Amino acid sequence: VRQDGDLLITIQNDGPARDGDADAPHAGVGIANLSSRLQILHGDRSALQLRHTDAGGTEVVVRLPYTEA
């Protein structure tokens, strides 16, 4: 979805929560690396959000600057 000049990519699953803190998703090495790369490439115009859904799954939202070629 395009929103305010950005591209939002949303990924959801409805599987069980990961072990550990049930209130907040954990960022492993891969997620931390992706977040770091987004910041290096796009600065504050990018974002990576992980959160638990009310239905019990996880949702990931990636925000990238959108430009037409």
Side-chain angles (χ1 to χ4, degrees):
V1 174
R2 284 190 280 180
Q3 182 182 52
D4 300 325
D6 293 332
L7 176 65
L8 297 179
I9 302 169
T10 303
I11 302 106
Q12 295 179 330
N13 79 4
D14 59 358
R18 295 177 47 178
D19 291 338
D21 184 0
D23 294 330
H26 296 280
V29 173
I31 296 296
N33 285 343
L34 177 56
S35 182
S36 177
R37 288 178 187 168
L38 287 172
Q39 282 296 310
I40 289 168
L41 292 170
H42 304 290
D44 291 339
R45 294 270 329 265
S46 67
L48 176 66
Q49 298 176 325
L50 279 77
R51 57 184 169 244
H52 292 298
T53 64
D54 292 338
T58 302
E59 179 179 76
V60 178
V61 179
V62 180
R63 178 183 292 272
L64 299 168
Y66 180 82
T67 55
E68 293 193 31

